[in-house]
Amino acid sequence: MGFTAGEGWRPRHVFLIVALLTLGFRLWLAAITPFTGDEAYFIWWGQWPDWGFYDHPPMIGWWLALLLKFGHAEWWLRLPIVIQPILLGLAVAAFLRSRGASLAWGTATLVLLAPANVWNVFITTDTPLVYFSVLAGFAWLQARRAENEQTSPWAWYVLAGLGLGGAVLSKYFAALLGFAFLVDTLYRPSKRKFAGLLIVYALTLPGLALMAWWNAGHCWANVMFNFYNRHHRGNTGLSWQTPLLYGAMMLYLLTPACFWYLQRQRHALTAVMRSREGRALAMLAAVPLILFVPLSLVRTVGLHWVLSFIPFALILLALSVNPAQLRTLLRFFGVFALLHALTILIIANMPMESWQKTKFYPGIVLTVEAQQLLDQLEPYSDYVWMMDGYSNAVTLGVNTYVRDAQGRPRYIGVFGEGSSHARHDDILTDLRALDGGKIAILQKTPPDLEAEYTPYFRHLEVKTFTIRGATFHLVLGQGFDYPRYRDVILSRIKGLYYSVPPALPQTACYFCDRYFSGQACQR
């Protein structure tokens, strides 16, 4: 990059150029990539916003509810994550501005070029989590800086609490940041530090109270999913592979160059941590990432789970290296980002049939050629449309926006047991209303009529068609037998996913109140 500490305009100029280039790339990628299953799932949250949703706190649903008022194009609904790296970079530059322009803008450019920030344009619950967690983290660091300068830190503690409160309403992993605050407070504790921590924690209580109230009236869905259901059927267990995957993921997200310099600059890193601000920064970067290690022993840690803490790790690294090493890091990050962009451009221009021999090819066709699938369903518009899996159902359903002049979607429900994930359909679909009616179920795999459909319909017909080399099956059922479906499928779902522990008080439960009146959803 070639800048020196005295050339303040040049590193800022580099940041602006990189910001524009990466923003253009992400906008292009966001515009050409169809919505994935997870994204479509959250978009439906925005379509019918509520105080809570099945598996996560409500923040991403609230954001999408606002965005959907102005459009439903891919690039538009993904805009918060598309612009996030630039906003994070600006926040980093503002935080480090007192240390000189080269360090401030150089570190901000590192954030822009961090691997996940180059290509990540996908809507997740972590999108607002990153915003609020970074806000809370920087406010906490500013409080430490104020204490060091013997000025009032209380406004910063309030801001940190508001940020952590927003993070709590985004995803429960916000607890890791709250724990990092606690660890930092316990290191050389003081009355002022404990008072600040209490302020932060107190400001998260309204969000926690909201989630407790909503869950008590909705089968404790968040608790059941995060602590019981997602671990069902052997999805977890001690494994030597998942910790290695976590290590490889962190090596990718921070790059080998970062780990190399952190190892070489151990003494400089220790010097940074001698100050209150430096120790707090190390806690924010290290404590959550270390806590993921024991979790990785029993399950795969998602790449997006750790994104809230990457900016703090990069700041810690930048403070530990000299200007020449920072320039070397920037060159490495720039080349690595360019390789990502070239790889994505190559994949984007490959024929879709290149993936035809893979097991996920039908899913690719469903995502990319959704309109052709909807054309096949259109003759059966008097049927209720469903699929046998929620990810496929919501992905296809989101594409019905463009088929209506007013942009109204046609919801596609789930038929059958499904899985522990994404059971928000249990909230949205009332199967009692379908008794005796007609249901069209689209599948990517050949249906087992005797096991899956014959007991629940008076008449069945199956149609098969092929799109871009992928075969799909449409089961047309007439005379839906709701009572039998309830006694078999819904009873099984009740036992698997709605066995609420007696210790959790319930005020209502949409599933058991709707289908099993008088029978509590309880173990």
Side-chain angles (χ1 to χ4, degrees), residues 403-418:
R403 301 180 72 84
D404 189 282
Q406 297 177 338
R408 296 171 302 189
R410 174 167 178 168
Y411 182 73
I412 297 177
V414 179
F415 191 91
E417 183 179 314

Side-chain angles (χ1 to χ4, degrees), residues 37-46 55-56 60-61 64 123-125:
D38 280 353
E39 292 181 290
Y41 179 47
F42 301 130
I43 290 169
W44 284 109
W45 289 9
D55 47 356
H56 292 297
I60 189 63
L64 287 166
I123 303 165
T124 69
T125 52

Side-chain angles (χ1 to χ4, degrees), residues 29-273:
L29 186 60
I32 69 161
T33 307
F35 288 123
T36 63
D38 280 353
E39 292 181 290
Y41 179 47
F42 301 130
I43 290 169
W44 284 109
W45 289 9
Q47 184 63 37
W48 293 296
D50 201 346
W51 291 111
F53 303 98
Y54 174 76
D55 47 356
H56 292 297
M59 187 63 72
I60 189 63
W62 295 349
W63 285 30
L64 287 166
L66 177 62
L67 290 168
L68 283 166
K69 292 183 179 296
F70 302 98
H72 51 262
E74 287 88 348
W75 71 269
W76 171 249
L77 296 183
R78 289 167 170 157
L79 193 59
I81 187 65
V82 168
I83 65 173
Q84 189 172 83
I86 294 177
L87 297 180
L88 293 180
L90 291 172
V92 168
F95 177 71
L96 294 174
R97 68 184 183 277
S98 63
R99 294 177 178 265
S102 290
L103 178 65
W105 292 108
T107 310
T109 306
L110 277 184
V111 171
L112 280 181
L113 294 172
N117 286 342
V118 172
W119 55 263
N120 183 21
V121 298
F122 303 106
I123 303 165
T124 69
T125 52
D126 302 84
T127 301
L129 176 69
V130 172
Y131 278 113
F132 286 114
S133 295
V134 172
L135 170 65
F138 279 139
W140 183 267
L141 293 172
Q142 289 285 7
R144 287 290 175 268
R145 182 180 289 178
E147 289 174 351
N148 195 54
E149 297 171 351
Q150 298 186 338
T151 58
S152 175
W154 306 118
W156 293 115
Y157 282 128
V158 169
L159 188 58
L162 293 173
L164 186 60
V168 163
L169 287 172
S170 302
K171 197 166 187 175
Y172 291 114
F173 279 134
L176 298 179
L177 181 63
F179 187 73
F181 291 165
L182 174 63
V183 173
D184 182 46
T185 300
L186 292 175
Y187 186 87
R188 297 182 181 177
S190 68
K191 290 183 179 179
R192 175 174 284 202
K193 290 171 72 174
F194 272 112
L197 182 68
L198 288 176
I199 290 172
V200 171
Y201 282 179
L203 288 170
T204 68
L205 292 179
L208 292 172
L210 171 64
M211 294 317 301
W213 167 78
W214 184 88
N215 274 273
H218 292 79
C219 321
W220 289 95
N222 291 178
V223 174
M224 292 303 298
F225 170 73
N226 286 288
F227 296 99
Y228 295 96
N229 298 342
R230 73 187 309 173
H231 309 301
H232 187 64
R233 297 180 181 175
N235 289 336
T236 58
L238 285 174
S239 169
W240 61 269
Q241 294 175 311
T242 45
L244 292 179
L245 285 173
Y246 177 61
M249 182 186 75
M250 292 308 304
L251 187 65
Y252 166 73
L253 289 175
L254 289 174
T255 78
C258 285
F259 281 96
W260 168 254
Y261 276 117
L262 283 172
Q263 188 275 332
R264 287 191 62 186
Q265 298 296 113
R266 293 190 303 275
H267 297 300
L269 184 61
T270 302
V272 170
M273 293 170 59

